[in-house]
Amino acid sequence: QVVELTEVQRIPAQTSTIRGPFLAALEFLRQGTQGLNQVQPDADGMLVVNVPFCGRFQEYAMLGNFLAEHCLTLPGIKGVRIFAADSSDSYYYEWAVAKRWFAEFHPEIEVHLQVQDLQMDPLPKAGLTIALHPEVTRGGSWFQIMGSVIKASQGGVCLFAVFFQDEVSTLMNMMDMYDETCREKQLVENVHWKDQVVNGATPPSKRMNFLVLVKPSKQHLAKVETSLFQRLGQLLTSICRPK
């Protein structure tokens, strides 16, 4: 079936139950990483951003604007590559719209959207991971999926968002199982939902209600800085060595 794509808008229409919580989550990410200075690019200067179980990827515009404003301006980051994946093949149209939006408004950001079984086919190593609503309490294959996501984010920054407190507990247990670098974890409730009332009542299901920010430990950051200085020293030695 061939479907014509609609024209993309600079600010796509978005429901308040997604826009508000996600923007608040991004601000928590920015503040919790010292203005994103704890986010590290790869050896080529590219910041790899993983978005597992992305679904329709409804947050694409907010994420794209955030990365352009706060990450592309950081020293050492030459570009951004987003790898978003979901196990369902039902979202090709929404993904095509997202890719067109990036091509039009942020062509400096590469976007890869694909159907992918993360328990069998992991995402690449990433400096930043945005993981919204993993169904961790379902157990089963979600242990392998989360193991794959956590290992791909080793040494990087990861933001998880879940609905419920019991999901937080399961997520923390999975981090203990699969995280080999003993990263720092910070748990908060999304400030968007503070005193939030919809139609006279508190929303029964709060998207991105609990946020877990996972950051490299101070020991890991010290190793990264030492490695960078060592590489700089080797480069200067090779340049200054008499021929």
Side-chain angles (χ1 to χ4, degrees):
Q1 183 180 3
V2 178
V3 179
E4 183 178 358
L5 289 179
T6 58
E7 291 296 322
V8 292
Q9 299 177 342
R10 184 68 178 83
I11 304 177
Q14 190 62 268
T15 63
S16 60
T17 56
I18 294 177
R19 182 176 182 80
F22 190 63
L23 290 177
L26 291 178
E27 179 58 19
F28 168 61
L29 168 64
R30 188 187 68 82
Q31 293 184 6
T33 55
Q34 301 173 3
L36 291 170
N37 281 295
Q38 293 177 328
V39 174
Q40 299 294 324
D42 64 16
D44 297 322
M46 299 297 292
L47 174 62
V48 176
V49 181
N50 284 347
V51 187
F53 24 92
C54 66
R56 290 181 172 83
F57 197 34
Q58 300 175 82
E59 307 83 9
Y60 66 87
M62 292 178 285
L63 179 60
N65 290 331
F66 178 82
L67 294 173
E69 180 179 355
H70 298 292
C71 292
L72 283 174
T73 54
L74 291 174
I77 294 181
K78 299 177 182 178
V80 174
R81 291 192 182 108
I82 298 175
F83 292 90
D86 198 273
S87 60
S88 173
D89 61 357
S90 302
Y91 309 122
Y92 284 118
Y93 179 82
E94 290 87 349
W95 293 353
V97 171
K99 293 186 75 170
R100 173 177 282 191
W101 185 90
F102 274 98
E104 184 164 339
F105 297 112
H106 289 301
E108 70 279 15
I109 299 178
E110 297 179 24
V111 185
H112 306 269
L113 287 142
Q114 56 202 12
V115 175
Q116 195 166 338
D117 183 354
L118 297 182
Q119 63 177 323
M120 303 295 295
D121 185 14
L123 289 165
K125 294 291 183 182
L128 175 62
T129 300
I130 307 291
L132 305 181
H133 297 300
E135 298 178 49
V136 291
T137 53
R138 292 184 62 181
S141 62
W142 275 95
F143 280 92
Q144 289 75 30
I145 293 171
M146 291 302 295
S148 173
V149 170
I150 293 167
K151 290 177 181 178
S153 70
Q154 296 281 12
V157 172
C158 191
L159 177 66
F160 291 100
V162 296
F163 285 105
F164 307 113
Q165 182 66 60
D166 60 338
E167 293 178 312
V168 172
S169 302
T170 305
L171 174 61
M172 291 297 195
N173 288 335
M174 289 179 171
M175 285 295 303
D176 291 339
M177 288 176 61
Y178 295 110
D179 188 15
E180 299 173 355
T181 56
C182 299
R183 284 175 288 179
E184 299 176 7
K185 295 182 282 292
Q186 182 182 359
L187 168 66
V188 301
E189 290 189 55
N190 195 322
V191 296
H192 171 78
W193 294 113
K194 185 177 181 180
D195 303 323
Q196 188 75 238
V197 175
V198 177
N199 296 327
T202 301
S205 182
K206 302 176 183 178
R207 293 183 64 86
M208 308 171 221
N209 188 22
F210 292 98
L211 305 174
V212 178
L213 180 61
V214 184
K215 302 181 290 184
S217 64
K218 294 179 181 178
Q219 294 87 342
H220 177 81
L221 290 174
K223 288 181 181 179
V224 171
E225 290 180 4
T226 301
S227 176
L228 288 174
F229 281 121
Q230 288 175 340
R231 282 191 285 174
L232 178 59
Q234 292 169 354
L235 176 61
L236 291 174
T237 299
S238 65
I239 294 175
C240 299
R241 183 183 296 124
K243 296 183 179 179

